[in-house]
Amino acid sequence: MKIISKFKDFYDYKVAKYGVDEKLIYNRKTYCNYYKMQFQYINPHKNVAEKISVEDFNNNLKEHTKFFDKTNHNKILIVGEKIVHLFFTEHGLYTHFDIKNPKDIGGEKIYRYWAYYSDTKEITFNDGKKIEIYIAFEELWNDLFSYDRKRFLSFLNISKDDTLFNEPMILVEYIGEIDRKIVRFDNSVYKVTYNPNLSQMGIYFDEDFI
């Protein structure tokens, strides 16, 4: 694969191992969009996420959005067809590869805990730290590690024709909800960053996985 990019990332050197195929091009251009869910008030027959440009969001929706502001929270990184769960905390950034007992995540017990009792979950990481994580994608916790790109984007009601199904790497983060004064229902807003600079964000994990 040949990478065309304005920046270097921590996994780039692996190109030497796998070889440079001039016909397989990764044009690593970083850009963003927002996606707004539950907008049946606009079109009750259209049950897919609405894509919003950064400019439109800043000009029309930003001031009406209640932002998710928890310190310890999770985001989703899609790499190829795989999903990496990211945990941003006051003690640093972790991935689901850093969870000490991954079998403790997901399943009926966790689902009951999440759905009826709390919006946080204590996770123990390999460094021994136990951290209360505010979950931005709580619906995934019943079956956390079984999601891939297609299943996750379907969960977000993303159209199958959307760019998200084709970009090599995308970061999805929950932004917050739009005020009820602006829309009939609270609308979840997600920010999507295409081809993020992982090194710049402090995200490091197995280069061969990428």
Side-chain angles (χ1 to χ4, degrees), residues 87 99 101-107 110 114 121-124 140-145:
F87 303 96
I99 296 175
N101 297 308
K103 291 183 179 180
D104 291 344
I105 303 297
I110 302 301
W114 279 103
K121 170 62 182 173
E122 183 181 81
I123 299 178
T124 302
L140 272 63
W141 282 84
N142 188 37
D143 202 10
L144 182 66
F145 297 119

Side-chain angles (χ1 to χ4, degrees), residues 73-99:
H73 62 284
N74 69 319
K75 299 180 183 180
I76 301 293
L77 180 68
I78 299 179
V79 181
E81 296 305 314
K82 304 291 186 179
I83 280 184
V84 179
H85 298 272
L86 305 176
F87 303 96
F88 291 76
T89 80
E90 56 197 327
H91 299 289
L93 192 152
Y94 298 88
T95 74
H96 71 259
F97 301 117
D98 300 315
I99 296 175

